[in-house]
Amino acid sequence: MKDPSLRRSVTLFRAFLREQREPERCYTLLARDAADQVERHLPVRGRVVVDVGGGAGYFTEEFRRRGAQAYLFEPDLAELGAHGGKPPEGSVLADGYLLPLATGAADVTFSSNVLEHVADPETFLSELVRVTRPGGLIYVAFTNWLSPWGGHEWAPWHYLGAERARARYERRTGRPAKHRLGDNLFAHHVGPTLRQVRARDDVTVVSARSRYWPFLAESVARVPGVREFATWNLLLILRRCP
């Protein structure tokens, strides 16, 4: 699918709406789309790809299908077995703050929708950069807090307050919410994240854009204030400096 395009955005959104019923279809499609985004900047065949926080391994498997030496590092044992699947062979239970990898071990370090679950994003990003070789790519995409989906399963009611939104979700569904703000979900924003990344001297920003927006994807991320709501999901592609 052309990226960005209305057809692509609608296709991904429809898959997302069926995520609970058809997780394999949803995440397989998302993994294919993300790998396409990486390969616009660096072909992955024969290269080492490190998937940090990739859950059940859909992204890892997609990179392997494309000929990469891809490895999954996931801190949550339950996520490795999510959706009733078997994690990719060689998966490692590891924390993204301290990856069991040598400096410069990866050609591509990949993280999809993990940063909003990290209390210290600066340390997390530094670790992704550390394990990436000079000239390699770092792919980071996350759902920012003021996005319509910032509250995850209790969105968009998070605009009225996290605790109120979570309590509403639990009353409506009769089950506990998976996420709690300040515990496993954090209010990260587009502007501060961009400033933090641009201030680093060990990476250059290749692309900073809305991951899913169907048009003007980079322009949306440039407008202060508006970008906090309209970006939906911020995609950063960084290149490790020599």
Side-chain angles (χ1 to χ4, degrees):
M1 296 179 292
K2 183 181 178 183
D3 176 18
S5 70
L6 182 60
R7 176 174 174 267
R8 167 184 172 269
S9 297
V10 169
T11 300
L12 290 172
F13 185 65
R14 284 176 174 170
F16 172 73
L17 292 178
R18 300 188 184 99
E19 183 259 345
Q20 293 296 318
R21 289 173 290 151
E22 303 175 7
E24 184 171 357
R25 179 180 182 277
C26 175
Y27 289 110
T28 298
L29 181 64
L30 186 59
R32 189 182 308 139
D33 185 75
D36 285 344
Q37 290 174 325
V38 170
E39 291 212 287
R40 288 192 189 96
H41 304 281
L42 184 70
V44 299
R45 180 169 292 278
R47 300 185 187 272
V48 175
V49 178
V50 171
D51 177 8
V52 181
Y58 292 100
F59 297 103
T60 300
E61 294 286 16
E62 179 60 31
F63 285 119
R64 288 182 180 179
R65 276 191 286 271
R66 296 175 185 231
Q69 300 175 52
Y71 303 95
L72 172 61
F73 293 81
E74 168 60 49
D76 189 340
L77 187 60
E79 287 295 327
L80 281 173
H83 313 308
K86 181 181 179 182
E89 184 178 349
S91 298
V92 179
L93 192 66
D95 194 320
Y97 288 134
L98 189 61
L99 293 167
L101 289 167
T103 297
D107 295 295
V108 177
T109 306
F110 180 91
S111 171
S112 174
N113 294 335
V114 177
L115 198 69
E116 68 263 36
H117 304 294
V118 171
D120 183 354
E122 187 169 2
T123 298
F124 181 80
L125 286 169
S126 292
E127 185 66 352
L128 300 188
V129 173
R130 181 190 70 80
V131 302
T132 307
R133 67 164 177 80
L137 292 183
I138 301 102
Y139 177 111
V140 178
F142 75 99
T143 304
N144 50 296
W145 175 244
L146 292 178
S147 156
W149 298 104
H152 285 48
E153 72 270 27
W154 24 273
W157 302 99
H158 65 295
Y159 288 132
L160 302 180
E163 287 305 308
R164 180 182 296 180
R166 186 180 58 81
R168 179 188 180 279
Y169 172 87
E170 293 180 351
R171 284 196 307 271
R172 185 172 60 86
T173 64
R175 61 177 183 269
K178 180 179 179 180
H179 298 98
R180 181 185 290 270
L181 190 67
D183 180 16
N184 58 1
L185 182 65
F186 299 88
H188 300 322
H189 304 283
V190 175
T193 302
L194 289 175
R195 288 192 291 273
Q196 180 189 121
V197 168
R198 287 169 177 157
R200 300 184 68 106
D201 60 5
D202 52 3
V203 295
T204 56
V205 179
V206 176
S207 180
R209 50 163 288 190
S210 168
R211 185 178 186 180
Y212 305 123
W213 203 245
F215 49 83
L216 301 176
E218 293 198 353
S219 298
V220 167
R222 293 194 189 108
V223 185
V226 172
R227 64 190 175 193
E228 300 299 338
F229 300 90
T231 300
W232 284 53
N233 188 289
L234 179 65
L235 167 60
L236 294 170
I237 297 180
L238 314 175
R239 192 175 300 278
R240 179 76 159 91
C241 293

